Amino acid sequence: MTSSKWRVVSNEMEVTLVLRMKHVQSRIVILGILCVFSLACLLLASYIREYTGRNVYSFLRWDMFLAWVPVVCALLIECIYWGRWTSRGIRVLIMSLLGLIWLAFYPNSAYLITDMLHPFVHYKPAAGMRFTHDIEFWHHLLVFFSAAWVGIMLGIYSLYILHSLVSRSFGTITSWLFVSVVLALSSVGIYIGRFIRWNSWDLLTMPGIRIQELYQMLLDPVRLHHLSSFSLLIFAISIFSYGCVYCFTFIRK
């Protein structure tokens, strides 16, 4: 290899390394911001428990943990995708298994939107006072407004990672079809979690029972209408949020 060709290769490697470092740095910054906001939500919920002397919103710790599971799975998939530590077949197998886990837990991120109903259930206004005039109510609402925002951002973040990988492997059209299908399934999953109270791991522990219950629900016109109406609303919120954030990242590029 001539010296000129070697300099070209060396420069390309240097540029690639710099881009990878910026990529890692951006990942760390985003994760740090999301961690800070997640902890802030939990601390505010803890403050409300201390202030009111009531054991409320303890479930938010678990809900927040489940919302982070898809992010961890997406980051692992990305590491394996770019890694060269084993054969391609093994990497595809591991990524497929992690992808199924990611898909099963993905609704838990945007599920935090539906937790916004809890302030209206658990807040107890003083006698004769309108609840909207009490600052404590706004503390309650702020907890779950912040949690909903964190949940949406966690969902967007993990979906964006896989969207990028699918786009690189299969093209733009396929990647957006992937996004649409995931958000549609997630919307149904959020409905199932909120109204039917299933868990993500039920798909493994009792798949037959859950499939039968889902089949019966789809045959009931009333329940089907309720499911489709709610799922369409969540899907609209999800696709709009994702589209906005995606456009911002595209402008930045």
Side-chain angles (χ1 to χ4, degrees), residues 60-78:
L60 188 58
R61 292 191 291 263
W62 179 244
D63 285 356
M64 192 68 73
F65 169 77
L66 292 177
W68 271 90
V69 171
V71 174
V72 175
C73 290
L75 290 172
L76 289 174
I77 291 172
E78 186 180 40

Side-chain angles (χ1 to χ4, degrees), residues 41-62:
C41 292
L42 297 179
L43 288 174
L44 185 54
S46 178
Y47 165 76
I48 289 176
R49 284 193 293 272
E50 291 290 332
Y51 177 80
T52 61
R54 299 167 57 211
N55 187 27
V56 293
Y57 309 147
S58 298
F59 60 85
L60 188 58
R61 292 191 291 263
W62 179 244

Side-chain angles (χ1 to χ4, degrees), residues 2-253:
T2 63
S3 59
S4 60
K5 289 184 178 179
W6 172 254
R7 282 196 298 271
V8 171
V9 172
S10 178
N11 290 336
E12 289 178 352
M13 292 176 62
E14 184 177 349
V15 170
T16 301
L17 181 60
V18 171
L19 291 175
R20 288 287 178 88
M21 289 299 296
K22 288 183 177 180
H23 179 78
V24 172
Q25 289 173 357
S26 66
R27 289 281 188 264
I28 294 174
V29 170
I30 294 173
L31 288 172
I33 293 173
L34 291 174
C35 280
V36 169
F37 276 97
S38 298
L39 291 174
C41 292
L42 297 179
L43 288 174
L44 185 54
S46 178
Y47 165 76
I48 289 176
R49 284 193 293 272
E50 291 290 332
Y51 177 80
T52 61
R54 299 167 57 211
N55 187 27
V56 293
Y57 309 147
S58 298
F59 60 85
L60 188 58
R61 292 191 291 263
W62 179 244
D63 285 356
M64 192 68 73
F65 169 77
L66 292 177
W68 271 90
V69 171
V71 174
V72 175
C73 290
L75 290 172
L76 289 174
I77 291 172
E78 186 180 40
C79 290
I80 296 170
Y81 180 91
W82 292 109
R84 294 293 183 268
W85 49 272
T86 187
S87 65
R88 184 175 183 277
I90 294 177
R91 285 189 287 117
V92 169
L93 176 61
I94 297 175
M95 286 191 294
S96 298
L97 293 175
L98 284 173
L100 291 175
I101 296 173
W102 173 83
L103 183 61
F105 280 87
Y106 183 76
N108 290 291
S109 296
Y111 177 85
L112 289 173
I113 298 173
T114 66
D115 278 346
M116 290 185 68
L117 63 87
H118 288 288
F120 301 95
V121 175
H122 295 286
Y123 170 72
K124 305 296 182 183
M129 177 181 287
R130 294 180 61 182
F131 72 94
T132 55
H133 290 184
D134 190 349
I135 193 65
E136 183 188 328
F137 167 77
W138 294 99
H139 288 160
H140 287 247
L141 189 61
L142 179 61
V143 171
F144 290 97
F145 178 82
S146 303
W149 181 85
V150 170
I152 291 174
M153 290 299 107
L154 289 172
I156 289 174
Y157 183 60
S158 69
L159 181 57
Y160 181 80
I161 293 174
L162 297 192
H163 182 190
S164 300
L165 299 181
V166 173
S167 178
R168 180 181 178 85
S169 298
F170 302 103
T172 302
I173 296 177
T174 302
S175 67
W176 276 105
L177 179 61
F178 168 79
V179 168
S180 301
V181 171
V182 166
L183 292 180
L185 292 175
S186 174
S187 301
V188 175
I190 293 170
Y191 175 90
I192 290 174
R194 170 52 61 192
F195 294 101
I196 310 181
R197 312 303 296 168
W198 292 2
N199 296 307
S200 298
W201 48 89
D202 287 349
L203 296 173
L204 294 176
T205 58
M206 50 183 71
I209 296 175
R210 293 313 190 203
I211 291 175
Q212 183 178 5
E213 291 177 351
L214 182 61
Y215 177 73
Q216 292 175 351
M217 181 178 64
L218 294 177
L219 293 180
D220 186 336
V222 176
R223 297 175 68 188
L224 180 60
H225 176 73
H226 193 245
L227 181 152
S228 58
S229 299
F230 180 86
S231 299
L232 184 60
L233 176 63
I234 296 297
F235 176 79
I237 295 172
S238 300
I239 194 71
F240 176 77
S241 301
Y242 185 81
C244 288
V245 174
Y246 184 86
C247 288
F248 287 135
T249 61
F250 183 77
I251 292 173
R252 183 179 63 84
K253 293 177 181 178

